[in-house]
Amino acid sequence: WHNPTLDIPMAMAMRAGAPGWLVSIWLAAFSVIALFFGLRLLDRLWPERVSWQRSLAAGVVTISGAGLWSVTGTTLNDAPVAAAVLASLWWMASSIGRRGAFATWLPIGLVVGLMVGLKLTAAIYAIGFIAAACFAGPVRGLPARIVALGIGGTTMTVLAAGPWMWTLWSLYENPLFPYFNHWFHSPYALPQAWNDARFLPQSVGDALLAPVKLLRNSKHFSEVNIADPRLFLGWIAVIAATVATWRGR
């Protein structure tokens, strides 16, 4: 019942008898784009000591993560979302103070709205960009930023999700079927939200222990087995840097 639009190019390639390597390149391309904009964002936010050596090191750290490998070359369609979000973050970081509100936030709304329409779980990033727009400049410019972001986001979400949502409404009487059926009351599913709370922390302690739990390969945080020590190592680095700074005083 998910929007199948992102899967259409691969399906068409398979039906046309395209070689497996070509399909693999298509599926992996989004991860490459995400990596590219991630490195551009790093250079934008940390312009000192920009070099190919730093980009290489950052790239190795990035591709060594379980998050990237678990979605690259798959049809989970998380990589297109990552590419769109990182490109939008780079555009935001590059535009603030250099471009006007509409030149900055309308493209972000269009790109992120497209992803929300194609994969509804991307909506969490839309909320993040709304929050960013609230603090990305003087208060007097806030209405323009929100309007630009809203126009772009709403337009592309409607265009990308509208046809599929209409199909679901016509067939199942719920444009988000089977989700949020406690609101729409489709007779084709139980009146439940169908939300997945498996990966949510059960307590504050559970959330704080996430870096430690990620040291072990498990499905505690994902539908596929995942282990990633980098968050734990990051915490250690932050603590070490804080102690060093405190001692230096």
Side-chain angles (χ1 to χ4, degrees), residues 9-74:
M10 188 203 68
M12 293 178 63
M14 295 297 294
R15 288 179 63 88
W21 62 265
L22 183 59
V23 176
S24 298
I25 290 177
W26 165 258
L27 292 174
F30 294 104
S31 293
V32 175
I33 295 172
L35 176 62
F36 170 78
F37 280 109
L39 295 177
R40 292 293 303 274
L41 180 63
L42 171 65
D43 291 341
R44 180 62 191 167
L45 297 178
W46 189 10
E48 296 80 13
R49 301 180 182 177
V50 173
S51 66
W52 69 266
Q53 293 94 336
R54 189 182 75 175
S55 295
L56 177 62
V60 170
V61 171
T62 301
I63 64 176
S64 66
L68 181 66
W69 283 118
S70 64
V71 300
T72 298
T74 70

Side-chain angles (χ1 to χ4, degrees), residues 91-177:
W91 181 260
M92 179 181 69
S94 303
S95 299
I96 293 178
R98 298 186 177 189
R99 300 182 177 94
F102 270 78
T104 300
W105 294 98
L106 182 62
I108 293 174
L110 292 171
V111 172
V112 176
L114 174 63
M115 285 299 106
V116 173
L118 296 176
K119 189 175 175 65
L120 293 178
T121 51
I124 188 66
Y125 300 109
I127 297 173
F129 278 107
I130 293 172
C134 291
F135 299 97
V139 175
R140 65 177 181 274
L142 176 59
R145 296 193 298 270
I146 294 298
V147 168
L149 187 64
I151 290 175
T154 301
T155 299
M156 291 309 297
T157 299
V158 170
L159 290 176
W164 183 247
M165 293 176 72
W166 178 257
T167 299
L168 291 177
W169 175 261
S170 301
L171 295 176
Y172 302 108
E173 302 178 24
N174 179 347
L176 300 172
F177 187 85

Side-chain angles (χ1 to χ4, degrees), residues 4 17 39 65 133 140 155 160 201 213-214 232 238:
L39 295 177
R140 65 177 181 274
T155 299
K213 293 182 178 180
L214 273 169
F232 178 77
V238 169

Side-chain angles (χ1 to χ4, degrees), residues 207-216 221 227-240:
L208 293 175
L209 287 174
V212 177
K213 293 182 178 180
L214 273 169
L215 295 174
R216 183 172 61 89
F221 299 95
D228 196 337
R230 295 178 305 167
L231 189 58
F232 178 77
L233 294 175
W235 273 33
I236 297 298
V238 169
I239 294 173

